[in-house]
Amino acid sequence: MTNTYRYARVLTIAGSDSGGGAGIQADLKTFAALGCYGMSAITALTAQNTLGVQGIHAVPPAFLKAQIQSVVEDIGVDALKIGMLHEPAVVEVVAWAIDHYQLTRVVLDPVMVATSGDRLMANETVQVLVRELFPRASVITPNLDEAALLLGHEILDADALNQAAQDLLAMGAKAVLLKGGHLAGDEVVDLLVQADGPSRRLASPRIASQNVHGTGCTLSSAMAAYLALGHDLSESVALARTFILGAIAHGADVKTGHGHGPLNHGFLPVPLHRITNPPSTSNT
């Protein structure tokens, strides 16, 4: 029997952004732009645009579980990106899925605060997220606002990034990409810290743009895509960061809506990657 082929398969478990700039929509655009086959399990519907979040309609946990089962058991998953989880029962469904399907490349973006400043996660859900998903994720990707909520204090400058990242590791994470984009200055500094690996500081000049809605979703989904393509975590972070800088730069002069516009996810798309799939390889 000859070999067949498959695509690099990435599942996003996250909320839907009706404005198309963040959430499931940004994730699927990113997967496609990087040559991966994207799938989704929607945790919540939002009424959302470039100005903010006007409403959230939760998906029942049982139906979230059904979505996950449908895609994993038929198509399979090479990497998982986790975004907005609005209640403890939803977090527990995701934890079950990681264990039940033995998912090993897991990027957790702890979506707690929208670009507009809207709070998206209650304290009870935060506690369950830390307990259930921090140990199961390959890496967590908080921004400074999210890290401040998790740690209970602000992170005021780049010198404080390392201690904050170490404190997040102490909460059970295997690796932390702490995003410093909200700090003032002409340079953006992100820090990757791993419990069982080297740290990596990534810095780049700040790109002036009003169109930064969905940057966190895009970065984490790009990381998941590169993990699905076989890169290690450090490489995936660096490649994802290069992608998002390009998406910001190519969307900076475009007007979309009246607030924080989206990135240009399609600035340099590549064809879907085909991966050799030997006859003995299962779908999952």
Side-chain angles (χ1 to χ4, degrees):
M1 185 180 295
T2 60
N3 289 344
T4 58
Y5 295 93
R6 63 173 176 81
Y7 299 124
R9 307 158 297 182
V10 192
L11 170 64
T12 171
I13 302 176
S16 169
D17 174 3
S18 56
I24 289 284
Q25 287 79 357
D27 296 341
L28 293 177
K29 291 173 186 177
T30 301
F31 300 156
L34 297 177
C36 293
Y37 182 80
M39 302 160 287
S40 65
I42 297 176
T43 61
L45 306 176
T46 67
Q48 186 174 174
N49 54 29
T50 65
L51 297 173
V53 179
Q54 291 79 47
I56 299 175
H57 181 72
V59 170
F63 192 71
L64 173 64
K65 184 176 181 180
Q67 293 177 76
I68 297 170
Q69 290 173 306
S70 291
V71 296
V72 179
E73 294 177 8
D74 175 39
I75 300 169
V77 172
D78 296 305
L80 169 64
K81 178 264 171 77
I82 304 168
M84 177 184 174
L85 306 176
H86 57 280
E87 64 174 279
V90 165
V91 176
E92 290 166 359
V93 166
V94 176
W96 168 85
I98 293 171
D99 291 346
H100 184 75
Y101 296 112
Q102 300 181 339
L103 304 177
T104 57
R105 302 180 187 95
V106 179
V107 179
L108 171 60
D109 183 13
V111 179
M112 301 174 186
V113 184
T115 302
S116 58
D118 293 294
R119 180 76 182 266
L120 300 174
M121 186 180 290
N123 287 333
E124 180 188 6
T125 307
V126 173
Q127 294 171 9
V128 177
L129 182 85
V130 171
R131 184 183 73 235
E132 298 294 333
L133 293 186
F134 274 33
R136 289 176 167 87
S138 307
V139 60
I140 65 171
T141 65
N143 62 30
L144 294 185
D145 291 339
E146 291 154 352
L149 282 174
L150 288 164
L151 298 173
H153 62 80
E154 289 187 81
I155 302 161
L156 299 176
D157 53 44
D159 293 336
L161 289 176
N162 184 66
Q163 186 59 56
Q166 294 293 340
D167 291 343
L168 290 167
L169 283 182
M171 295 176 71
K174 297 174 184 175
V176 178
L177 177 67
L178 185 53
K179 300 173 292 189
H182 291 179
L183 292 175
D186 296 331
E187 186 178 60
V188 175
V189 178
D190 301 327
L191 183 65
L192 174 66
V193 176
Q194 304 179 72
D196 297 316
S199 299
R200 185 169 186 178
R201 181 182 184 274
L202 303 104
S204 57
R206 186 179 300 276
I207 300 169
S209 177
Q210 181 76 3
N211 300 325
V212 292
H213 181 50
T215 51
C217 302
T218 300
L219 180 62
S220 56
S221 56
M223 289 168 57
Y226 284 117
L227 287 171
L229 291 168
H231 298 278
D232 66 24
L233 179 58
S234 183
E235 291 172 341
S236 295
V237 169
L239 290 167
R241 207 170 179 280
T242 298
F243 171 76
I244 199 169
L245 290 173
I248 294 172
H250 285 82
D253 60 351
V254 179
K255 178 68 172 175
T256 306
H258 296 88
H260 295 284
L263 314 181
N264 182 347
H265 295 88
F267 74 96
L268 193 64
V270 299
L272 277 170
H273 295 280
R274 301 204 311 165
I275 299 172
T276 301
N277 193 30
S280 61
T281 299
S282 68
N283 282 336
T284 56

